[in-house]
Amino acid sequence: MEILIQQLINGITVGSVYALVALGYTMVYGIIGLINFAHGDVVMVGAMVATTMVVTLIGADPGGTSAWLAISVALLVSIPLCMALGWLAERYAYRPLRRAPRLAALITAIGVSIIIQNLAMMVWGRNYLSFPHIIEPVIFPIGGARISLLQVLIIVAATAIMAGLLLVVHRTRLGTAMRATAQNREVAGLMGVNINTVISAAFLIGSALAAVAGVMVTTYYGVAQYTMGFLLGLKAFTAAVLGGIGNLGGAMLGGLLLGIIESLGAGYIGDLTGGVFGSNYQDVFSFIVLILVLVFRPSGLLGERVGDRA
């Protein structure tokens, strides 16, 4: 039972990060029908920038810079940079292709991903960057298992951010405009909605969430590298598909479920296979889930909420 509880805690922690990244996928897809495969690389940029800032601050003043100040500065720097990156991609790569076939936009997204990866390699190199262990390893016992202070912070922060996003989407004029644009862009434009502004806002919000997720990932795992966004992006896309791409609640649910499935698989695969496979095969479970969902329930668990078109 202790192992089960521990794996659930680990799964919820990782799933919270997947959910944040999946929200970026599902917001963009829900509004313009684009699968932005470069979104995972925006997460990578956030992680790399945050790691660089924290290493610089801690290195410049090892005893005088607190962990919370370093992480706060890292967030304040990485979020605007990732938002700018997302806006540039939308403005100059995706906007000219809105009326083009979807395959053109999909190929462009892959190209943007490759460009971001190579630019990151040129800036930071091929080697892994190590994130300093600046948060005290405080441990809280739960039913025989353990949850660290960092895990608590990640879960609480992700939950607060997701709740805030739901409030923005359902309780603000911007959210109303986003939902109207998702229903029908042409009619929303005729009703006075600035379509370009709404789509740009979706990219900006998604990129900000990606930056926060990047900081969480590098803080949790202690490393960052220029290719890390590829696999993380695919897993977050799987989470969005699992929950129902285009549905915010589905992205959140899918992220948490995928994290739990992956964690339980990593914890029990050795016992189930008699030691043939180990926890290093945990990534397999994400793609098994993706295949099963696409085959048996392509709309996802919650499905996409589609309104009547005018």
Side-chain angles (χ1 to χ4, degrees):
M1 182 59 69
E2 291 82 2
I3 296 176
L4 175 61
I5 296 174
Q6 187 64 60
Q7 295 302 327
L8 288 175
I9 292 171
N10 296 339
I12 293 172
T13 304
V14 177
S16 299
V17 177
Y18 290 163
L20 287 181
V21 184
L23 284 170
Y25 279 103
T26 207
M27 285 179 64
V28 171
Y29 182 84
I31 293 177
I32 61 175
L34 168 69
I35 299 175
N36 181 20
F37 279 120
H39 189 61
D41 297 288
V42 178
V43 180
M44 174 270 295
V45 171
M48 300 291 274
V49 171
T51 302
T52 302
M53 292 304 302
V54 171
V55 169
T56 301
L57 290 171
I58 298 297
D61 190 7
T65 304
S66 69
W68 307 115
L69 176 61
I71 293 177
S72 298
V73 172
L75 284 169
L76 290 175
V77 175
S78 61
I79 289 176
L81 284 177
C82 289
M83 292 175 71
L85 186 60
W87 181 84
L88 288 172
E90 188 279 325
R91 178 63 183 83
Y92 296 104
Y94 303 140
R95 188 178 296 184
L97 299 174
R98 281 185 195 165
R99 299 188 181 277
R102 288 193 177 184
L103 182 60
L106 182 64
I107 294 173
T108 300
I110 296 173
V112 172
S113 172
I114 294 172
I115 290 172
I116 295 174
Q117 281 191 31
N118 281 272
L119 289 175
M121 182 185 67
M122 293 169 62
V123 173
W124 286 287
R126 295 177 177 269
N127 297 327
Y128 283 86
L129 301 182
S130 296
F131 190 91
H133 297 285
I134 56 177
I135 297 180
E136 292 294 329
V138 181
I139 303 297
F140 305 100
I142 297 181
R146 302 187 304 169
I147 183 171
S148 67
L149 175 61
L150 179 57
Q151 288 177 310
V152 172
L153 292 174
I154 289 175
I155 294 171
V156 171
T159 302
I161 292 171
M162 288 186 282
L165 179 61
L166 289 176
L167 287 176
V168 169
V169 171
H170 294 286
R171 293 289 186 269
T172 66
R173 294 185 63 183
L174 174 61
T176 302
M178 293 173 70
R179 287 183 284 122
T181 305
Q183 289 271 345
N184 191 306
R185 269 187 284 172
E186 288 73 19
V187 174
L190 292 174
M191 297 299 292
V193 175
N194 189 323
I195 304 301
N196 290 331
T197 300
V198 169
I199 295 174
S200 294
F203 274 87
L204 289 170
I205 294 172
S207 299
L209 296 178
V212 175
V215 175
M216 290 179 176
V217 168
T218 190
T219 306
Y220 187 60
Y221 290 106
V223 293
Q225 204 246 359
Y226 77 99
T227 61
M228 63 180 285
F230 175 73
L231 184 58
L232 179 59
L234 286 180
K235 289 182 178 181
F237 171 69
T238 301
V241 173
L242 173 61
I245 192 164
N247 185 300
L248 295 180
M252 299 175 191
L253 176 63
L256 291 174
L257 287 178
L258 185 65
I260 292 172
I261 291 170
E262 186 178 282
S263 182
L264 290 176
Y268 290 101
I269 188 173
D271 296 334
L272 294 175
T273 60
V276 176
F277 299 106
S279 60
N280 55 313
Y281 284 88
Q282 66 179 19
D283 297 334
V284 173
F285 294 98
S286 300
F287 301 107
I288 290 176
V289 168
L290 177 61
I291 293 171
L292 292 176
V293 171
L294 291 177
V295 171
F296 295 105
R297 191 175 176 84
S299 62
L301 296 177
L302 300 184
E304 182 179 0
R305 295 176 181 173
V306 180
D308 295 329
R309 298 210 179 243

